[in-house]
mmCIF file of all heavy atoms in Angstrom:
data_model
loop_
_atom_site.group_PDB
_atom_site.id
_atom_site.type_symbol
_atom_site.label_atom_id
_atom_site.label_comp_id
_atom_site.label_asym_id
_atom_site.label_seq_id
_atom_site.Cartn_x
_atom_site.Cartn_y
_atom_site.Cartn_z
ATOM 1 N N ASP A 293 17.029 20.611 -4.178
ATOM 2 C CA ASP A 293 17.361 19.227 -3.839
ATOM 3 C C ASP A 293 18.852 18.926 -3.936
ATOM 4 O O ASP A 293 19.427 18.318 -3.035
ATOM 5 C CB ASP A 293 16.586 18.266 -4.753
ATOM 6 C CG ASP A 293 15.135 18.157 -4.341
ATOM 7 O OD1 ASP A 293 14.820 18.604 -3.213
ATOM 8 O OD2 ASP A 293 14.321 17.650 -5.136
ATOM 9 N N HIS A 294 19.508 19.363 -5.035
ATOM 10 C CA HIS A 294 20.902 18.941 -5.186
ATOM 11 C C HIS A 294 21.820 19.713 -4.247
ATOM 12 O O HIS A 294 22.875 19.212 -3.868
ATOM 13 C CB HIS A 294 21.365 18.986 -6.650
ATOM 14 C CG HIS A 294 21.325 20.332 -7.278
ATOM 15 N ND1 HIS A 294 20.158 20.925 -7.675
ATOM 16 C CD2 HIS A 294 22.313 21.203 -7.589
ATOM 17 C CE1 HIS A 294 20.421 22.103 -8.212
ATOM 18 N NE2 HIS A 294 21.729 22.299 -8.160
ATOM 19 N N HIS A 295 21.417 20.910 -3.836
ATOM 20 C CA HIS A 295 22.219 21.624 -2.834
ATOM 21 C C HIS A 295 22.073 20.973 -1.460
ATOM 22 O O HIS A 295 23.052 20.777 -0.742
ATOM 23 C CB HIS A 295 21.790 23.101 -2.760
ATOM 24 C CG HIS A 295 22.354 23.906 -3.890
ATOM 25 N ND1 HIS A 295 21.767 25.065 -4.352
ATOM 26 C CD2 HIS A 295 23.451 23.709 -4.666
ATOM 27 C CE1 HIS A 295 22.484 25.547 -5.361
ATOM 28 N NE2 HIS A 295 23.505 24.742 -5.566
ATOM 29 N N ARG A 296 20.824 20.621 -1.112
ATOM 30 C CA ARG A 296 20.616 20.002 0.195
ATOM 31 C C ARG A 296 21.319 18.652 0.268
ATOM 32 O O ARG A 296 21.846 18.249 1.298
ATOM 33 C CB ARG A 296 19.114 19.839 0.454
ATOM 34 C CG ARG A 296 18.813 19.619 1.929
ATOM 35 C CD ARG A 296 17.359 19.702 2.240
ATOM 36 N NE ARG A 296 16.588 18.809 1.413
ATOM 37 C CZ ARG A 296 15.586 19.194 0.632
ATOM 38 N NH1 ARG A 296 15.232 20.447 0.602
ATOM 39 N NH2 ARG A 296 14.933 18.330 -0.111
ATOM 40 N N ASP A 297 21.321 17.932 -0.880
ATOM 41 C CA ASP A 297 21.971 16.625 -0.931
ATOM 42 C C ASP A 297 23.464 16.760 -0.597
ATOM 43 O O ASP A 297 24.014 15.999 0.214
ATOM 44 C CB ASP A 297 21.791 16.042 -2.337
ATOM 45 C CG ASP A 297 21.723 14.529 -2.325
ATOM 46 O OD1 ASP A 297 22.089 13.943 -1.292
ATOM 47 O OD2 ASP A 297 21.296 13.943 -3.328
ATOM 48 N N VAL A 298 24.117 17.763 -1.194
ATOM 49 C CA VAL A 298 25.550 17.964 -0.937
ATOM 50 C C VAL A 298 25.787 18.339 0.523
ATOM 51 O O VAL A 298 26.666 17.790 1.199
ATOM 52 C CB VAL A 298 26.122 19.040 -1.882
ATOM 53 C CG1 VAL A 298 27.518 19.441 -1.438
ATOM 54 C CG2 VAL A 298 26.147 18.541 -3.307
ATOM 55 N N ILE A 299 24.983 19.262 1.041
ATOM 56 C CA ILE A 299 25.119 19.676 2.440
ATOM 57 C C ILE A 299 24.959 18.469 3.367
ATOM 58 O O ILE A 299 25.735 18.273 4.319
ATOM 59 C CB ILE A 299 24.050 20.746 2.787
ATOM 60 C CG1 ILE A 299 24.320 22.045 2.029
ATOM 61 C CG2 ILE A 299 24.003 21.005 4.289
ATOM 62 C CD1 ILE A 299 25.441 22.886 2.594
ATOM 63 N N ALA A 300 23.954 17.645 3.082
ATOM 64 C CA ALA A 300 23.684 16.489 3.950
ATOM 65 C C ALA A 300 24.815 15.482 3.885
ATOM 66 O O ALA A 300 25.216 14.913 4.908
ATOM 67 C CB ALA A 300 22.361 15.833 3.553
ATOM 68 N N LEU A 301 25.357 15.240 2.682
ATOM 69 C CA LEU A 301 26.429 14.249 2.563
ATOM 70 C C LEU A 301 27.706 14.738 3.224
ATOM 71 O O LEU A 301 28.436 13.965 3.845
ATOM 72 C CB LEU A 301 26.686 13.926 1.085
ATOM 73 C CG LEU A 301 25.661 13.001 0.434
ATOM 74 C CD1 LEU A 301 25.893 12.918 -1.067
ATOM 75 C CD2 LEU A 301 25.720 11.610 1.046
ATOM 76 N N VAL A 302 27.988 16.047 3.121
ATOM 77 C CA VAL A 302 29.235 16.576 3.689
ATOM 78 C C VAL A 302 29.129 16.735 5.201
ATOM 79 O O VAL A 302 30.000 16.279 5.945
ATOM 80 C CB VAL A 302 29.606 17.924 3.021
ATOM 81 C CG1 VAL A 302 30.777 18.574 3.763
ATOM 82 C CG2 VAL A 302 29.955 17.714 1.557
ATOM 83 N N PHE A 303 28.023 17.376 5.653
ATOM 84 C CA PHE A 303 27.980 17.749 7.069
ATOM 85 C C PHE A 303 27.231 16.762 7.949
ATOM 86 O O PHE A 303 27.526 16.645 9.130
ATOM 87 C CB PHE A 303 27.356 19.149 7.220
ATOM 88 C CG PHE A 303 28.203 20.225 6.625
ATOM 89 C CD1 PHE A 303 27.804 20.916 5.490
ATOM 90 C CD2 PHE A 303 29.437 20.537 7.193
ATOM 91 C CE1 PHE A 303 28.596 21.900 4.935
ATOM 92 C CE2 PHE A 303 30.234 21.525 6.640
ATOM 93 C CZ PHE A 303 29.817 22.203 5.503
ATOM 94 N N VAL A 304 26.239 16.079 7.415
ATOM 95 C CA VAL A 304 25.479 15.134 8.236
ATOM 96 C C VAL A 304 26.089 13.749 8.147
ATOM 97 O O VAL A 304 26.388 13.111 9.161
ATOM 98 C CB VAL A 304 23.995 15.095 7.817
ATOM 99 C CG1 VAL A 304 23.219 14.200 8.764
ATOM 100 C CG2 VAL A 304 23.414 16.493 7.791
ATOM 101 N N ALA A 305 26.306 13.269 6.907
ATOM 102 C CA ALA A 305 26.908 11.944 6.755
ATOM 103 C C ALA A 305 28.393 11.995 7.073
ATOM 104 O O ALA A 305 28.978 10.983 7.437
ATOM 105 C CB ALA A 305 26.678 11.434 5.336
ATOM 106 N N GLY A 306 29.007 13.196 6.936
ATOM 107 C CA GLY A 306 30.414 13.334 7.259
ATOM 108 C C GLY A 306 31.331 12.641 6.272
ATOM 109 O O GLY A 306 32.427 12.185 6.635
ATOM 110 N N LEU A 307 30.919 12.553 5.023
ATOM 111 C CA LEU A 307 31.770 11.902 4.028
ATOM 112 C C LEU A 307 32.831 12.883 3.525
ATOM 113 O O LEU A 307 32.551 14.077 3.388
ATOM 114 C CB LEU A 307 30.931 11.449 2.827
ATOM 115 C CG LEU A 307 29.903 10.346 3.054
ATOM 116 C CD1 LEU A 307 29.286 9.928 1.720
ATOM 117 C CD2 LEU A 307 30.522 9.143 3.728
#
Side-chain angles (χ1 to χ4, degrees):
Chain A
D293 284 346
H294 61 285
H295 282 155
R296 198 170 54 237
D297 211 345
V298 169
I299 293 283
L301 283 172
V302 171
F303 294 111
V304 185
L307 294 186

